[in-house]
Amino acid sequence: MALFCRTAALLLKPGALSSTLSVARQYSAGGQYEYILVEKRGENQDVGYIQLNRPKALNALCDGLMLELGKALDAFEADGTVGAIVLTGSDRAFAAGADIKEMQNRTFQECYAGNFLAHWNRVSTIRKPVIAAVNGFALGGGCELAMMCDIIFAGEKAQFGQPEILLGTIPGAGGTQRLTRAVGKSLAMEMVLTGDRITAQEAKQSAYELTLAEGNRLEKRLFHSTFATEDRKEGMTAFVEKRKANFKDQ
Ligand code: CO8
């Protein structure tokens, strides 16, 4: 929690606390939300805190929940006293995916004409930093929701996965794209094609591997670019001619 507060404190504009009390009252007004808990936290009440709260369905993302989430995010975005937002679930589940029961009988026409999922990506367009605090299942849309956040803070019991293939469908909210960037193409493909889950530790390890892969790509490009310099030609020529190179920084 200290990390979250520090982040928010850094981003909070000085003197922006005047309306904190009335805004706190607004958030704590019971009954506003059915599927999420919303409040302001931190020493200075400058952290917007949203907890997914459908425990019986492992926080499955139904349309109502996503509408409420968008509403809460909009409120924190507009609130000048909030510096950062934390999105979390429970110990058992961050979110076990989009609500399968709600999707079960949808037709192609309904999805296409109604632009299903159109409003589900509000998290990714929020300008304030959003931190996903993940434990338990982060599957399908749950994994995608976490990846839409700016930072993922994962607990030991966190399990990430894109099991849509086991339901005869594919990720629908950026999973194939963001997962590739988060854990690399190879592991992302394995996860999307098998539905297998990974732990927080494995996700972190793969992120390092991606960094190494990216570094290797950059290195290769820089290596290529040395072939545009006179000094590279001179260095190799000098070796072949068995003499000392006469570099000119060109
Ligand atoms: N949707 C609806 N209900 C769910 C979901 C879900 N995704 N996940 C769990 N539940 C419900 C179960 O039906 C069960 O309810 P009930 O008691 O009424 O039968 C309750 O939650 C508890 O679940 P389990 O009894 O299955 O609990 P287990 O501990 O045995 O298993 C699992 C937990 C492994 C998480 C299991 O529930 C599971 O596999 N869930 C489905 C995971 C999944 O396939 N997720 C992907 C869904 S598709 C998707 O997300 C498409 C993404 C679209 C974009 C979204 C953008 C944000």
Side-chain angles (χ1 to χ4, degrees), residues 20 31 69 72 80 96 102-103 127 134 160 164 180 187 194 243:
T20 300
L69 179 58
E102 209 176 64
M103 292 186 293
R127 285 171 298 141
V134 178
F160 298 90
E164 286 89 344
T180 309
L187 183 56
T194 63
R243 61 174 171 81

Side-chain angles (χ1 to χ4, degrees), residues 219-228:
E219 180 196 69
K220 194 158 273 91
R221 286 281 170 247
L222 289 172
F223 169 70
H224 291 163
S225 70
T226 65
F227 283 72

